[in-house]
Amino acid sequence: MTEPGAVTRSLLAIPGNGTDSSTWAGQICAACIDGLDIDGAALSVLSGSTARRTLCASGPVAERLEELQFSLNEGVCMEAAATGRPVLVPDLREATEAARWPLFAAAVAERTTVTALFALPLQCGVINLGVIDLHRNRAGALSPQQQRDALDATETATELMLGMHGAPRPPAGGPAPQWLDTPAGSRTEVHQATGVVLAQLGISAVDALARLRGYAFAHDRLMGDVARDVIDRRLAFTDDMS
């Protein structure tokens, strides 16, 4: 039997009971940072309704990466969530990689010093429960041992996630557990703002969210900031606004 790696050993030491979601996610991010020689980490959970909730971001840079991906609707985390496969990018400045997510790559280069990103889905069968996002401020791939440890750790984290909430393994093709459906923080504000724009313009929720994203991108702002302006009535959408 293969000996578990450093990250997995740290995860197995996390108490199974009496730990809230945010504390648990913070322990997972800390274990990844310590065991994989990276500079930051974030963990987000997803749901069948496409809501996304960031449980932990290890610092301002990790938080900014999460917000950029949500605002622009592209990036390593979004791809890992959509495909259920790891997305490993040793150097986002490399032309081929940057072309995969042109808006995200440009924003990362402009607003951070991050160069390498690794997104690891928390997969239960065919259902994606969430994603662990890792980043480095220097180019370079995870070593073969680090990659094995990271993939093993995501399996352990998934089992911890389900066990902590007393949730059974979801059936193949079934919905994600309902405890993942509760948005929090700026995501709640985005959902509220989407409802306001929907009422203002008489459009669908999907189109209202697209209008929010388009406005945020056109004005070089984060989605959370735009959402707060909409909720506080500092910003109203009209049919002819850009």
Side-chain angles (χ1 to χ4, degrees), residues 1-10 12 145 148-149 152-153 156:
M1 182 175 178
T2 303
E3 183 73 16
V7 181
T8 298
R9 291 197 299 272
S10 296
L12 291 173
Q145 179 58 50
R148 284 192 297 271
D149 196 11
D152 288 345
T156 303

Side-chain angles (χ1 to χ4, degrees), residues 15 21 27 46 72 133 137 150 161 165 183 186 195 212 218 233:
S21 297
Q27 291 172 321
L46 309 164
L72 299 173
D133 266 344
N137 295 327
M161 178 188 292
H165 290 271
S186 65
L212 283 168
R233 299 300 191 269

Side-chain angles (χ1 to χ4, degrees), residues 20-225:
D20 63 77
S21 297
S22 296
T23 300
W24 166 84
Q27 291 172 321
I28 289 180
C29 288
C32 289
I33 293 170
D34 291 342
L36 298 175
D37 187 27
I38 59 172
D39 294 309
L43 190 153
S44 59
V45 292
L46 309 164
S47 75
S49 61
T50 69
R52 180 166 168 233
R53 176 186 177 192
T54 299
L55 290 181
C56 173
S58 63
V61 174
E63 186 174 355
R64 173 55 61 92
L65 290 172
E66 291 290 289
E67 186 65 21
L68 284 174
Q69 292 184 89
F70 182 74
S71 296
L72 299 173
N73 198 31
E74 66 175 37
V76 293
C77 179
M78 308 302 283
E79 183 167 320
T83 65
R85 296 190 296 270
V87 180
L88 310 176
V89 181
D91 190 349
L92 190 60
R93 299 169 302 182
E94 200 275 327
T96 302
E97 300 290 8
R100 296 167 67 179
W101 317 284
L103 301 179
F104 175 66
V108 170
E110 179 182 349
R111 302 186 185 191
T112 78
T113 58
V114 171
T115 305
L117 299 113
F118 314 102
L120 307 168
L122 300 171
Q123 198 79 3
C124 182
V126 297
I127 297 174
N128 190 305
L129 302 179
V131 178
I132 298 175
D133 266 344
L134 312 174
H135 69 263
R136 279 177 175 163
N137 295 327
R138 64 189 186 283
L142 295 174
S143 70
Q145 179 58 50
Q146 287 174 334
Q147 187 169 328
R148 284 192 297 271
D149 196 11
L151 295 176
D152 288 345
T154 59
E155 293 184 10
T156 303
T158 301
E159 295 296 334
L160 287 173
M161 178 188 292
L162 293 172
M164 184 179 65
H165 290 271
R169 294 179 66 88
Q178 290 188 350
W179 60 268
L180 295 179
D181 276 331
T182 304
S186 65
R187 303 296 186 266
T188 298
E189 294 172 335
V190 170
H191 287 293
Q192 292 173 344
T194 298
V196 173
V197 175
L198 180 155
Q200 289 173 344
L201 300 180
I203 57 179
S204 70
V206 172
D207 289 340
L209 180 59
R211 291 292 295 268
L212 283 168
R213 280 198 169 107
Y215 183 91
F217 174 71
H219 295 267
D220 194 25
R221 301 184 64 193
L222 297 176
M223 279 279 280
D225 296 336

